[in-house]
Structure formats: C-alpha cells, structure tokens
C-alpha cells in the first residue's frame, strides 16, 4: 500500500501524482505547468487532467478531508474503468441539482469532445441510463444538459456512465470550463504539429521511391531503408496525433455503438498495419505517407471545427465573462462610505454597492446617488451608452461607462438580468431542432452501412483478383473517404453560427425550432400596444364624467395602478407624479387580465379599465368620445362614471418596414389587440394590415391563434410578453419584446433584447439564410459521399486522396456555416 503524504505537506519535485500516486510525466514542466490543484491552500501536482478534474471536484464539494484521512492513493482517473468512488459524493441532496419534488437537472461540462460524433455517442449512452429523462449536448458550447428522476438516478451515475465511455464531466463552472477549453486547444495544436512534422519527413523518404519507380534506379537495400525510416517517422503520428481517433473509436465500441471515429480508426489501422507487414516482409506496397497525411488533414479539419464551435458559442462566453465575481459593498450606508469587496454571489436584496467607472454591475439595482451612462451592448445589442439618473433601474451585467454611482440591490446576482439571459441561452442549446435530429439518425445508420460496404468492396476485389493486393487499399480508401462528420456538422454548426449572429444583433433565440419554424411561417400575428407601438403611452387629457374633479380622479387611478407594470398603468402613475400629487394607497386590489383593476381607495370601491369592465360597477356607459388615435381608460365607482383618461401611444418607426417585409414575403399579417376595435383598426389601416381585430382578451387571442393552427396555418406571434404569455406559448414560433427582469418570465421562442421590432424581420432573413445553408451543407455532404464512396470502391481513389477528400468535406461544411456569422 503506498504511503500517504500529509495533506499540508508540499509536494517535492520528484513526488508522484498527489491523487493516484502514478509517476508524473517527464514533460511535467513543459506541459501546461501541468495539472495542479490547490488543496487546503497548497498547490499539488497531478499526473493527468483526469486526476486534476477529480481532485478539483473533491475540493469543490468541501471534502478535502478525503486526502487527510485516506489510507491509499486513489485509482488513476485517466486509466480507471469505473468512476472513482470519491465522485459518488455527488448526490441528489446537492441544491445545485434541484428542479422539483420528483426530478433533478444540471448542466455539465464534458471534457474530451472531439467532433460531432462525440455528441451522438454521449447522448445515446445517457439515453440508456435508468432514470434519465433527457440528455442534450450543445456541441457549440460543449455543455451537457441532463434531467433525471431522483428516485432512480444519482448525479454520480451520470458521471460514471460518461467515464466508462472515456469522458470526464463535472457540473458547469466557468473557470474550469475555460481552462479545459484552453488545454484541449493546446493539446490538439500539439497533435496537429506532430502529425504535420511526421507527414513532411515521411514525404521526404517516399519521394525517391515514387520518382525511381519507373526507371528502377533505386536498389532494394535503399528502398528497404526508406521504408524503415518512414515507419519510424510515422510512429509519433500513430501513437500521439491519432489518439483522438483511437479513443473515440474505443469509446464507441465499449458503449456498443458505432461512432464516427470507428471507420476513421479502422482506415488508419488497416493502412498502417498493412504497411508494417510489407516493411517486415520486404515486399508489397506501403502507405506511410498516406497514413500521416490522412491524420494531419483530419486533425486540420477538427482544429477548424473546434475554432468554429468556439466562435459559434462566443456570444454565450462573452455573457459568462461579463458576470462580475466581486462587488464593493457599503455595509453602513449612509453613515459610512467605507467599501468592502465581497463575492457578487453573496449580495442580498437591499444591499448598497458602489459601481466604479468601467466595472460591471454585479446585480440588478436602483441608483441612489450619482448619474452615469451604461453600456448595455451585451444585454440588448445597443452600442450607444444609455444615460441613467437617480431612481433609474440598472440591469446586472451592464457596464458603467460614466462616473461612479451608488446603487441599492433589487435582485441577487444569481437572479440578475444577465443571469436570466444566460439561463435562457442555456435552454436554447439544450434541445435540437427536427432537422438536426434527422441528420444525427442518418449519420448513425451511415456508419453501419459504410462498414458493411467496405467489407463488401474488399470481398468483391479479393474475389476478382484472387489476392488482397488490390482489395486491401480499396477497402482502406472506402473507410477513409467517407465523411459522416460532415453530415452531423451540417446542421448544428449552422444553427450555432446563426444564433450567435442574432444575439449580437439583440435577438435572443431560446427555442430549438425557432429558425426552422419561422422559415415555414404562413401567418404573422401582431399585438398592438408595446409591439407595433412604443408601449410607453402618455396621458393626453383627463375627461371628467361625473361630479369629481379631474385631478382627484387621476389620484384615484394612480393609486389603483401603483403596483402594475402595464404600460398604460405606468402612464397614469407618471402623469400623477408629474402633477405633484401625493401618493394614495389602494386596498383589496383584484386584477382581471385584459380588462382592468378593482380596488378600494379611501373606503370606496373603484374600477379602472375598459368601458365594458367598468360598466359592471358603474352602470350603462356614457357616450364614448375620445381623442383621435387615443386609448381610453375609464374610472368608475358604484353606480357612477367618474372619468375617462385619453392615452396616446405612437407607432414604432420600424413598424411599417416590418409589416411590409412580411407582406412582400407572402405571409399573412394579422393585428390582434386588446384595445378598442376602432383604435386597433385605425392602426391596422395606417400600416396596411388587412385583417385587424380589437377588443380581444388574452383568452380570445389564444383561441384566435388556435383556430388558425387548426386550419393548418403556421403562426408566428409577436407580443410584448406582459399579457400575452399564453398566446406566445401556444404559437408555433413567438417573439417577445423583452426588457429587464421581464426576461425571466419570457414564454417566447425568442426575445427582442433591444426592443426593436425590425429585429423580427432580421430574424426571418437570418432564418431563410440558415435553412438555405443547412440544405447546402446536407446536400454537399450527401453528394460528396454518394460520389466519393463508389469512386473509392471501384479503385479511382487511393488512400491519401481519400484522406484529402474527407478533410475537405468537413472543412467545406464548417466554412459554409460560418458565413452566417456575417451580417447579411
């Protein structure tokens, strides 16, 4: 039993791995300062990233005593077949996994993702795990979302299942995830360098053989020396650079699935094995140059794919890095101005913080002192700084672009606007659209069919020639030339690039089917207030309908509306504030969605809202006279009509352009509003909308959309997200005009962060481009394979040309998808 070092002892240079006791690599000083973990304040060196991940997890769980109390080293995380016992410390009692009484969920970071094949393998393995309800891996961000039943599955079971197929995983942590991505990129870069160096050196030795093949000037001893030299120079590429393919293939076979690394590994093994046999026998053809070239080109393709994934997921990473780790807390404000630096996650509601110029706002706040400008580009896509003054709300994640301010926390850091955005984006990457699922299924069958086809090609040529001299290289070429990765990359790469581009334009896509469904939309249904109009109405006039003065009626209305977030309510409250009236309070408030409010002010019961709603308490409505283009809001008491407030809300400047775009695209545009039918029709006529209906309650809007769907229409709904939650959720695809904390309650498939209606038309254009590029990618991948595989089977392509074709096919798909990151 190996001796266990005390936990607080420093690890000498020649010490073994602190976790498993294995010798440290000889290159420990040159490989990443290798892998170190701070345990009880002391940095300890590990032999591999697997041990480092396990040790860090134990520290994160607060179980550092494990190292003090253990009696032996742990099993090596790199080579163990089962999950190390200490990782079973993860259980369903951990609050990070809480979802509801019966279920748990978490987002994991997965190490070792090499290409789209890993996504399919991981999802297939977890789908067979008892108790797992769903598992989706986002290839762009390398994050795995899992939901499971707490009675049948533990987090340790999920980690163990991934471990058995060769992947290390842990609950998502930004710093560890960033470090893992950096290590993975460096490792792939080194493997690519070694493969390229081997390829160039092997080419130098095989060139004389090709040049002297016809005239016979190369004697047999020299030819044999060239072969042995080529063999030795190929070994680094086989033993180091090709590790991703060996590991991927072995993981797939161990999980009893045919991953896309299987034909690649078989092709490399067959070509190298036949070349080694020919070298030892001193006769036959060798393909060392083809092997090294194939490994180099395929690693080039994977390096390009990795860069593309990182670029496509860049928007989320920018948001993650924008979350500040610390904040300056004023503990005794206003008595003291001394600030203490605390963790942002420790901030509580009503804490007072100082936000200095250039700092990120740690949580949603309200300004108490100072005036400044905020950079909201990460939150809304708006590049121009927005001025803020005392009393204004500021969103967590915004950057202070002006002077120092003091603010009061209104929501904790983990519940801030930026955190809500990140949760929505994680939800967006957690599911796949139908077209992506179709591509994954096709790719899975493709691998099995390819192996059978390669075996058949070998058998036919062996039967025709009577030997393996011709059959062997043809079978290798068939295995090498195929490109299932291009098929699986065709959709997710394009969707990730499009989503990234839209987020940079201020459109947050949260639904997996958003772009695909938007492209098929037949009807576009628009709300009026807050969607086609600014949603910031102002009170034009107050018309007294009874004996009460207009200013008294305004005070009553403001008291009823004081706690409402509706734009019309804010207009009334703001008008009362501007008049300098004292704030009254209302009691026993009840709200009827889409109709109005009822409450008691100074011991008298009032109703405020639509004429029909107020008539229920005030009796028959008066003559309905209101200003042209204004929205009427009525106030009444028992048996008495008191006042009518005329509120005007102007059209958004891009409303006409958006309506025109959808009409020209052949979509049917419909305006459905809860406002008065006359006002709704006036707005519809102004914008050229043929179908306009007003006076619809939320239930009426929902029924209207469902009737369209029953007729076979594909409906896109655009609303302000306040009263339209039900219809936004029922539409085939929906957009919400989002701002601030309302993002957390978004039921839509996309949120317009910048509040610009024209962004919906931009999204439709992007959806059209995305589906066109996806079809191009799928078409190219299928055309390439349908053409290249038969060509290899009849002997028109040798192994090295097949390697060039496979690498080029993946590169074409990725580069074509990245065009979506450019604005059209």
């Amino acid at each position: 039993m190996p001796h266990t070092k005390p936990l607080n002892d420093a690890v000498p240079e020649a010490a073994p791995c602190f976790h498993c006791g294995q010798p440290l690599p000889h290159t420990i000083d040159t490989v990443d300062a290798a892998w170190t973990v701070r345990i009880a304040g002391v940095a300890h060196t590990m032999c591999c990233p697997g041990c480092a991940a396990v040790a860090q997890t134990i520290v994160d769980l607060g179980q550092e005593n494990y190292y003090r109390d253990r009696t032996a080293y742990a099993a090596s995380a790199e080579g163990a077949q089962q999950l190390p016992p200490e990782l079973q410390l993860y259980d369903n009692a951990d609050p990070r996994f809480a979802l509801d009484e019966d279920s748990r969920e978490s987002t994991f970071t997965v190490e070792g993702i090499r290409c789209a094949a890993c996504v399919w393998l991981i999802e297939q393995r977890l789908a067979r795990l008892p108790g797992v309800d769903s598992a989706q891996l986002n290839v762009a961000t390398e994050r795995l979302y899992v939901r499971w039943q707490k009675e049948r599955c533990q987090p340790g079971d999920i980690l163990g299942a991934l471990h058995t197929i060769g992947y290390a995983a842990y609950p998502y942590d930004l710093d560890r995830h960033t470090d893992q991505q950096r290590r993975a990129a460096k490792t792939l870069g080194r493997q690519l360098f070694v493969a390229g160096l081997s390829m160039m050196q092997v080419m130098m030795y095989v060139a004389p053989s090709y040049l002297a093949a016809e005239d016979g000037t190369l004697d047999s001893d020299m030819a044999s020396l060239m072969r042995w030299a080529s063999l030795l120079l190929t070994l680094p590429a086989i033993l180091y650079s090709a590790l991703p393919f060996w590991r991927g293939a072995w993981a797939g076979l161990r999980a009893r699935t045919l991953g896309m690394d299987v034909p690649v590994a078989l092709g490399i093994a067959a070509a190298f094995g036949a070349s080694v046999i020919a070298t030892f026998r001193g006769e036959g053809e060798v393909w060392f140059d083809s092997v090294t070239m194939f490994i180099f080109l395929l690693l080039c393709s994977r390096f390009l794919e990795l860069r593309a994934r990182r670029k496509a997921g860049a928007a989320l990473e920018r948001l993650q890095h924008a979350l500040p780790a610390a904040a300056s807390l004023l503990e005794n404000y206003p008595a003291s101005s001394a600030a203490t630096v605390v963790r942002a996650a420790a901030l509580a509601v009503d804490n007072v913080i100082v936000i200095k110029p250039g700092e990120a706002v740690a949580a949603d706040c309200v300004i108490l002192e100072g005036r400044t400008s905020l950079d909201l580009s990460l939150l809304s896509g708006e590049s121009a700084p927005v001025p803020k003054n005392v009393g204004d709300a500021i969103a967590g994640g915004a950057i202070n672009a002006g002077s120092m301010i003091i603010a009061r926390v209104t929501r904790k850091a983990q519940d801030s606007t930026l955190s809500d955005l990140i949760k929505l984006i994680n939800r967006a990457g957690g599911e796949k659209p139908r077209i992506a699922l179709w591509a994954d299924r096709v790719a899975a069958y493709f691998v099995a069919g390819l192996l059978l086809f390669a075996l058949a090609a070998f058998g036919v040529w062996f039967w025709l020639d009577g030997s393996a001299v011709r059959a062997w290289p043809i079978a290798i070429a068939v295995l090498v030339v195929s490109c299932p990765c291009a098929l699986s990359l065709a959709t997710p790469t394009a969707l990730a690039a499009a989503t990234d581009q839209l987020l940079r334009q201020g459109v947050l896509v949260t639904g997996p089917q958003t772009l695909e469904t938007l492209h098929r939309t037949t009807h576009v249904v628009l709300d009026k207030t807050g969607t086609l109009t600014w949603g910031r109405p102002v009170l034009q006039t107050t018309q007294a309908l009874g004996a009460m003065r207009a200013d008294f009626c305004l005070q009553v209305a403001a008291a009823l509306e004081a706690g409402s977030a509706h734009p019309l309510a804010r207009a009334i409250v703001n008008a009362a504030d501007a008049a300098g009236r004292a704030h009254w309070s209302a009691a026993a408030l009840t709200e009827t969605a889409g109709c109005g409010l009822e409450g008691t002010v100074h011991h008298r019961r009032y109703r405020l809202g639509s004429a029909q709603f107020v008539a229920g308490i005030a009796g028959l409505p008066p003559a309905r006279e209101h200003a042209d283009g204004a929205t009427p809001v009525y106030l009444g008491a028992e048996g008495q009509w008191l006042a009518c407030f005329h509120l005007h809300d102007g059209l958004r400047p891009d409303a006409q352009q958006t309506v025109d775009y959808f009409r020209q695209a052949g979509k049917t545009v419909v305006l459905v509003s809860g406002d008065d039918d006359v006002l709704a029709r006036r707005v519809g006529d102004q914008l050229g909308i043929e179908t306009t209906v007003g006076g619809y309650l939320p239930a009426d809007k929902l029924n209207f959309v469902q009737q369209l769907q029953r007729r076979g229409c594909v409906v896109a709904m655009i609303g302000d997200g306040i009263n339209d939650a039900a219809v936004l959720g029922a539409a085939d695809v929906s957009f919400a005009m989002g701002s601030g904390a309302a993002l957390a309650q978004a039921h839509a498939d996309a949120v317009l962060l910048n509040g610009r209606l024209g962004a919906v038309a931009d999204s439709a254009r992007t959806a059209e481009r995305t589906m066109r590029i996806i079809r191009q990618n799928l078409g190219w991948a299928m055309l390439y394979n349908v053409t290249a595989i038969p060509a290899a089977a009849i002997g028109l392509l040798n192994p090295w040309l097949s390697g060039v074709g496979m690498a080029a096919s993946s590169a074409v798909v990725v580069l074509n998808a990245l065009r979506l990151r450019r604005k059209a």
Side-chain angles (χ1 to χ4, degrees):
M1 180 178 294
H3 174 66
T4 303
K5 294 185 65 59
L7 184 63
N8 56 359
D9 282 359
V11 180
E13 185 175 352
C17 172
F18 188 74
H19 179 74
C20 71
Q22 297 293 323
L24 299 179
H26 295 301
T27 56
I28 196 73
D29 294 328
T30 60
V31 181
D32 264 325
W35 303 280
T36 59
V37 177
R38 295 192 69 83
I39 303 174
V42 180
H44 295 280
T45 308
M46 308 293 165
C47 66
C48 66
C51 286
V54 172
Q56 185 64 55
T57 299
I58 293 173
V59 172
D60 293 344
L61 289 170
Q63 301 291 331
E64 294 175 334
N65 288 341
Y66 164 80
Y67 289 104
R68 182 182 295 114
D69 302 334
R70 64 183 178 179
T71 58
Y73 284 114
S76 170
E78 183 88 338
Q81 294 299 314
Q82 299 297 324
L83 184 71
E86 55 269 22
L87 283 193
Q88 291 293 347
L89 294 169
Y90 281 120
D91 58 33
N92 285 325
D94 194 320
R96 286 177 296 179
F97 306 134
L99 178 60
D100 54 43
E101 186 175 346
D102 300 320
S103 302
R104 296 291 182 266
E105 68 175 357
S106 183
T107 299
F108 297 93
T109 293
V110 183
E111 293 185 351
I113 296 177
R114 292 169 291 276
C115 70
C118 300
V119 178
W120 181 82
L121 176 61
I122 289 170
E123 292 179 347
Q124 291 296 312
R125 177 65 184 89
L126 292 183
R128 297 201 300 266
L129 193 66
V132 172
D133 294 328
S134 64
Q136 291 91 26
L137 178 61
N138 187 327
V139 69
T141 60
E142 300 177 1
R143 295 180 201 175
L144 173 67
Y145 170 80
V146 186
R147 178 177 293 185
W148 65 91
Q149 302 168 25
K150 73 169 188 176
E151 300 298 332
R152 302 182 59 200
C153 185
Q154 294 285 339
D157 301 331
I158 296 170
L159 298 175
L162 294 174
H163 190 82
T164 59
I165 57 174
Y167 298 93
Y170 46 84
Y172 176 77
D173 176 81
L174 175 60
D175 293 334
R176 293 177 67 182
H177 181 67
T178 303
D179 185 59
Q180 181 269 327
Q181 285 190 326
R182 180 181 59 83
R183 291 201 310 266
K186 290 181 67 174
T187 300
L188 183 58
R190 288 193 293 265
Q191 291 170 333
L192 180 61
F193 174 78
V194 170
L197 190 62
S198 292
M199 180 187 69
M200 290 188 291
Q201 296 299 318
V202 171
M203 289 296 182
M204 291 175 57
Y205 283 96
V206 300
S209 300
Y210 290 135
L211 296 174
E214 296 183 0
D215 55 18
T217 55
L218 187 66
D219 60 61
S220 59
D221 290 339
M222 184 58 68
S224 178
L225 178 62
M226 296 290 185
R227 290 184 176 189
W228 280 102
S230 298
L231 169 59
L232 293 176
L233 291 168
T234 303
L235 286 176
I238 291 291
L239 299 178
Y240 178 66
S241 297
L243 278 178
F245 312 124
W246 304 130
R247 288 172 177 165
W250 175 241
L253 294 175
R254 198 165 57 187
R256 298 181 181 179
T257 57
L258 292 176
M260 297 171 200
D261 281 323
V262 171
V264 173
L266 284 177
I268 294 174
F272 181 72
S275 300
V276 170
I277 293 173
T279 300
F280 274 93
R281 294 177 58 186
E283 60 180 15
E285 193 171 355
V286 296
W287 299 288
F288 293 122
D289 55 332
S290 299
V291 170
T292 54
M293 181 180 293
F294 176 53
I295 294 173
F296 174 74
L297 290 174
L298 195 53
L299 285 176
C300 282
S301 175
R302 291 204 172 179
F303 188 78
L304 179 63
E305 179 192 340
L306 178 67
R307 293 288 300 274
R309 290 206 313 261
R310 301 284 163 81
K311 285 183 178 180
L316 177 57
E317 297 307 319
R318 288 196 300 272
L319 290 178
Q320 291 281 11
H321 285 287
L323 281 170
S328 299
L329 175 66
L330 296 177
E331 295 183 352
N332 297 314
Y333 177 85
S336 172
S337 60
T340 304
V341 177
V342 299
R343 292 185 304 112
L347 291 177
V349 175
D350 291 332
N351 281 166
V352 178
I353 60 175
V354 176
I355 306 168
K356 300 175 183 177
E359 286 186 347
V361 180
D364 288 5
C365 306
V366 171
I367 298 178
L368 298 178
E369 292 185 22
R371 55 194 308 175
T372 187
S373 296
L374 294 182
D375 179 358
L376 301 175
S377 57
L378 281 176
L379 300 173
S380 66
E382 176 60 50
S383 58
V386 179
K388 295 290 182 178
N389 208 336
V390 174
D392 289 341
I394 54 178
I399 306 296
N400 185 4
S403 57
M404 186 183 75
I405 55 175
I406 296 176
R408 178 176 58 83
V409 175
T410 56
R411 300 174 73 203
K412 294 187 294 185
Q414 53 267 40
D415 298 325
S416 69
T417 297
L418 183 57
S419 296
D420 290 337
L421 278 176
I422 293 171
K423 292 172 187 175
L424 288 173
I425 297 177
N426 281 329
R427 187 185 85 188
E431 300 179 24
K432 295 181 179 181
R434 288 182 293 268
I435 193 168
L437 296 173
W438 175 85
D440 285 349
R441 287 194 297 269
V442 171
Y445 289 115
F446 179 88
V447 173
L450 172 69
L451 296 177
L452 293 175
F453 187 78
L455 183 63
F458 177 85
V460 170
W461 280 99
F462 187 86
W463 176 70
L464 291 175
D465 284 359
S467 71
V469 175
R470 181 72 169 153
W472 196 251
I474 286 178
I476 294 172
V478 170
L479 290 171
V480 168
V481 79
S482 63
C483 194
C485 282
L487 193 61
S488 283
L489 283 172
T491 299
T493 310
L495 289 174
T499 302
D500 173 61
Q501 169 62 22
L502 286 174
L503 185 56
R504 285 188 279 124
Q505 294 179 3
V507 181
L508 172 58
V509 176
T510 65
Q513 313 287 348
T514 302
L515 296 178
E516 182 182 356
T517 307
L518 183 59
H519 180 65
R520 299 188 293 109
T521 294
T522 60
H523 286 65
V524 177
V525 179
L526 295 155
D527 181 40
K528 184 180 79 70
T529 303
T531 303
L532 289 173
T533 63
W534 279 109
R536 295 193 296 270
V538 294
L539 179 62
Q540 283 187 320
T541 59
T542 301
Q543 177 187 0
L545 301 177
M548 287 186 180
R549 298 193 317 272
D551 59 345
F552 182 87
C553 292
L554 179 59
Q555 285 181 283
V556 172
L560 294 171
E561 298 280 29
S564 175
H566 195 282
L568 296 178
R570 302 321 305 164
I572 291 175
V573 173
N574 292 338
D577 290 341
R581 300 300 179 183
H583 282 267
W584 292 348
S585 60
L589 276 171
T590 58
E591 180 176 1
T592 303
C595 296
L597 292 164
E598 183 174 354
T600 302
V601 180
H602 293 326
H603 308 292
R604 189 178 186 188
R605 197 72 177 163
Y606 295 92
R607 274 194 181 186
L608 179 72
S610 66
Q612 182 179 1
F613 176 67
V614 176
I617 191 174
L620 294 176
R624 301 173 65 185
E625 298 178 359
H626 48 76
D628 185 44
T631 300
V633 176
Y634 291 91
L635 176 68
E638 187 173 350
Q640 187 177 9
W641 288 85
L642 299 178
C644 178
F645 303 97
H646 304 295
L647 298 108
H648 181 78
D649 188 10
L651 286 175
R652 293 178 182 270
D654 50 1
Q656 187 68 64
Q657 181 182 0
T658 303
V659 171
D660 290 344
Y661 169 79
F662 283 114
R663 289 176 58 196
Q664 293 169 5
K667 316 293 185 185
T668 300
V669 182
V670 181
L671 171 57
V672 179
S673 175
D675 287 347
D676 182 85
D677 188 63
V678 175
L679 295 176
R681 291 186 183 278
R682 184 176 290 118
V683 172
D685 293 341
Q686 186 177 347
L687 294 173
I689 300 175
E690 295 182 1
T691 304
T692 301
V693 289
Y696 268 36
L697 300 177
D700 299 323
K701 294 181 182 181
L702 177 61
N703 184 55
F704 181 85
V705 167
Q706 290 175 337
Q707 284 183 351
L708 289 176
Q709 291 172 324
R710 283 193 287 268
R711 287 161 40 195
C713 303
V714 179
V715 180
M717 176 69 195
I718 307 167
D720 62 8
I722 296 176
N723 293 322
D724 298 325
V727 68
L728 287 172
D732 296 287
V733 61
S734 54
F735 288 78
M737 310 294 291
S739 62
L743 288 173
Q745 287 79 37
H747 290 75
D749 298 304
V751 181
L752 307 180
L753 302 178
N754 53 18
R756 189 173 62 86
L757 183 61
V760 181
D762 294 339
S763 301
R765 295 186 187 95
T766 300
E768 183 180 359
R769 290 180 63 214
T770 303
M771 299 311 297
R772 182 169 64 248
I773 284 180
I774 287 176
R775 285 193 293 266
Q776 290 172 357
N777 283 351
L778 291 174
W780 160 255
M782 296 179 69
L783 177 64
Y784 165 80
N785 283 293
V786 168
T787 305
I789 293 176
I794 61 177
L796 297 180
L797 296 177
N798 56 30
W800 78 267
L801 276 176
S802 299
V804 172
M806 181 178 184
S809 182
S810 292
V812 166
V813 166
V814 171
L815 290 174
N816 191 40
L818 286 181
R819 292 193 298 125
L820 286 165
R821 298 187 77 246
R822 298 197 304 267
K823 193 171 181 179

